[in-house]
Amino acid sequence: MSRITKGLAVLGSTGSVGTQTLDIVRAFPNDFNVIGLACNRNLDLLQSQIEEFAPRYINCNGTEAEMASLESNGCQDCDLDTMVRDPDVDMVVTATVGDVALGPTLAAIDAGKDIALANKETVVMAGELVSTRAKNAGVPLLPLDSEPNAIWQCIRGEETGISRMIITASGGAFRKTPIGALADATPQQALKHPTWAMAQKITIDSATMMNKAFEVIEARWLFDVPWDDIEIVIHPESIIHSMVEFVDGSVKAQISPPDMHLPIQYAMFYPERLHNPNIKRFDPVATGALTFEPWEAERYPCFDMAIGYAKRGGSWPAALSGANDAAVELFLKGKIGFLEIGIVIKEALEAHTSNQTPDLDEIIAAGKDANARVVKIVEG
Ligand code: MG
């Protein structure tokens, strides 16, 4: 059976998920046509991606001279909304950091494109808006992130009878660090994730467990499940990517070695499954024991704080995400300590004026305001 060739726009093409998305394109060259590539400032990598994939459109933060040089390869600089709306684009991969993809994701939804969603901030900031708009437009939101992707695989063909979603967490860099030593944790230590190689922002979010809170928020909106039916368990091996329990007590788990190529490929070809020789197989005996540990609320104070703000709805989660972006950046720059990440977020959100029915502009503004407030708290 021949498959149709999908037109792709990859937002965040030079990042961790973006480059792995292009690995899948490379493995299945006849299945995809790269129409657009967007990145921030990694222009050398973008240049080589342009040479390899010959996109029609590019978008990045380059000077006029840099843009002219990139465009001399036969592509055209354009804004993200124009890129994702192009009639030849079938699927938009959102793999950027922060709030950059929010507007273009809504533009792509309104234009009827499939959304392969890696950018958590989009669903955290605007979960209700994005999921409602996608439902109304009949557009699928296909999660690339390993945990929601695992849940999505587990509930396939199971429309009813779901009782609980169990999201696994590796525990991040500080699972075994004495809690008393966390105040002195350095960015270098926080960036050493035990099982996953990921971008800096998400690796810090894994150490604070803000990332896990974001995944609960994602599950809430992507799968339309009540807050109280989502649980977290620590699973240090990162082999079970999440589980779903059904009303009869049966539990389905999605199992595979920790490699993002698999969930990315699943989303890109959904509903089809294809053999990719580059993706490592699960070997039960070689893997050995799969272990689980209870969640330690005192170790990860950002988690409960974040869920509390997310449950308030409206503009609160957007403010949370914006404040977290700033706090992580300040931690990486050595301006605040590890435990201060949660403290400055809380302080910034205490000054947030809530808007219970925000539109896109108000959501983005809530994030930017909270971001600026964190910077002001720290830098004065
Ligand atoms: Mg994840």
Side-chain angles (χ1 to χ4, degrees):
M1 193 182 78
S2 69
R3 295 183 292 268
I4 58 147
T5 304
K6 278 184 192 167
L8 276 190
V10 184
L11 313 186
S13 68
T14 58
S16 172
V17 170
T19 54
Q20 294 182 84
T21 298
L22 294 174
D23 288 341
I24 302 298
V25 174
R26 210 173 273 128
F28 299 95
N30 299 325
D31 288 280
F32 300 101
N33 183 13
V34 177
I35 308 287
L37 292 173
C39 72
N40 182 20
R41 277 289 308 160
N42 192 345
L43 304 188
D44 291 340
L45 181 52
L46 180 61
Q47 169 68 34
S48 73
Q49 290 177 345
I50 292 169
E51 287 166 16
E52 182 176 0
F53 297 103
R56 192 180 307 160
Y57 303 116
I58 56 165
N59 179 288
C60 60
N61 286 317
T63 63
E64 216 167 293
E66 286 167 337
M67 295 317 292
S69 157
L70 291 166
E71 284 184 309
S72 71
N73 297 285
C75 52
Q76 185 192 331
D77 174 31
C78 78
D79 64 80
L80 293 179
D81 283 15
T82 306
M83 182 189 289
V84 302
R85 282 195 195 113
D86 187 276
D88 290 335
V89 169
D90 300 298
M91 174 178 274
V92 178
V93 180
T94 67
T96 48
V97 177
D99 66 2
V100 184
L102 187 45
T105 300
L106 286 171
I109 289 171
D110 292 345
K113 313 297 186 185
D114 291 358
I115 309 293
L117 188 83
N119 173 254
K120 269 179 208 158
E121 287 85 348
T122 298
V123 184
V124 171
M125 295 180 77
E128 195 165 6
L129 183 69
V130 168
S131 59
T132 308
R133 285 271 273 274
K135 199 186 267 177
N136 291 343
V139 165
L141 297 174
L142 316 168
L144 299 191
D145 190 12
S146 61
E147 295 84 356
N149 187 281
I151 291 174
W152 179 34
Q153 294 196 44
C154 290
I155 62 174
R156 189 169 176 176
E158 305 264 13
E159 278 72 39
T160 58
I162 295 163
S163 65
R164 201 161 51 122
M165 293 182 175
I166 305 166
I167 298 176
T168 54
S170 68
F174 300 134
R175 178 174 65 91
K176 284 185 164 305
T177 306
I179 292 180
L182 289 177
D184 299 322
T186 65
Q188 222 180 350
Q189 292 166 330
L191 287 171
K192 279 206 189 94
H193 195 280
T195 48
W196 292 99
M198 303 180 290
Q200 287 200 346
K201 161 76 169 37
I202 188 170
T203 307
I204 301 301
D205 284 345
S206 297
T208 60
M209 283 289 166
M210 189 60 91
N211 181 55
K212 222 31 72 171
F214 285 179
E215 286 172 2
V216 170
I217 299 169
E218 253 183 326
R220 162 76 189 87
W221 296 114
L222 290 178
F223 307 115
D224 195 19
V225 53
W227 293 109
D228 292 344
D229 292 351
I230 309 168
E231 279 176 31
I232 305 289
V233 67
I234 301 281
H235 168 51
E237 294 85 12
S238 300
I239 297 289
I240 295 181
H241 300 298
S242 278
M243 300 176 255
V244 176
E245 184 198 63
F246 298 88
V247 287
D248 59 0
S250 186
V251 174
K252 279 192 186 176
Q254 191 268 324
I255 295 176
S256 55
D259 177 353
M260 284 300 294
H261 289 98
L262 176 56
I264 292 170
Q265 181 182 309
Y266 182 78
M268 289 173 80
F269 281 109
Y270 179 80
E272 225 174 323
R273 289 186 185 273
L274 293 174
H275 174 67
N276 180 347
N278 304 328
I279 294 178
K280 200 178 147 207
R281 298 293 163 134
F282 171 60
D283 180 336
V285 176
T287 303
L290 298 181
T291 60
F292 303 94
E293 294 169 14
W295 176 254
E296 278 183 281
E298 333 70 74
R299 179 175 295 280
Y300 307 112
C302 283
F303 179 86
D304 282 340
M305 174 186 72
I307 297 297
Y309 287 124
K311 283 181 177 174
R312 293 188 194 182
S315 57
W316 284 102
L320 167 72
S321 177
N324 182 57
D325 283 349
V328 170
E329 214 176 303
L330 290 162
F331 171 67
L332 284 170
K333 286 183 185 158
K335 302 232 168 128
I336 58 172
F338 181 71
L339 291 181
E340 285 173 290
I341 293 175
I343 293 169
V344 297
I345 292 171
K346 199 163 177 215
E347 197 176 330
L349 265 66
E350 266 155 23
H352 176 63
T353 316
S354 94
N355 172 348
Q356 284 311 115
T357 51
D359 61 21
L360 174 63
D361 290 343
E362 288 163 342
I363 285 169
I364 291 174
K368 291 211 185 310
D369 286 353
N371 190 300
R373 225 172 293 128
V374 166
V375 174
K376 192 146 185 277
I377 288 165
V378 175
E379 299 191 327

XYZ file of all heavy atoms in Angstrom, residues 120 145-147 211 215, ligand 1:
50
model
N 5.299 21.764 25.233
C 4.364 21.664 26.356
C 3.742 22.985 26.720
O 2.589 23.058 27.125
C 5.121 21.188 27.586
C 5.101 19.738 27.689
C 5.861 19.262 28.878
C 6.324 17.910 28.443
N 7.416 17.384 29.104
N 5.540 13.959 23.162
C 6.182 13.749 24.450
C 5.921 12.307 24.897
O 4.819 11.783 24.711
C 5.558 14.753 25.428
C 6.303 14.803 26.729
O 7.404 14.251 26.813
O 5.766 15.409 27.670
N 6.924 11.644 25.478
C 6.825 10.198 25.683
C 5.653 9.790 26.579
O 4.985 8.796 26.300
C 8.140 9.652 26.242
O 8.429 10.247 27.479
N 5.365 10.575 27.639
C 4.291 10.157 28.556
C 2.898 10.315 27.949
O 2.137 9.341 27.919
C 4.408 10.891 29.900
C 5.669 10.554 30.684
C 6.886 11.370 30.251
O 6.766 12.158 29.284
O 7.957 11.232 30.866
N 8.195 19.799 35.019
C 7.885 19.059 33.795
C 6.751 18.056 34.015
O 5.889 17.898 33.152
C 9.151 18.334 33.322
C 8.929 17.551 32.052
O 8.489 18.110 31.053
N 9.206 16.266 32.084
N 3.030 17.782 32.389
C 2.484 16.589 31.724
C 1.100 16.232 32.274
O 0.252 15.734 31.544
C 3.462 15.415 31.855
C 4.651 15.622 30.937
C 5.770 14.606 31.127
O 5.622 13.693 31.967
O 6.786 14.733 30.431
Mg 8.031 13.696 29.093
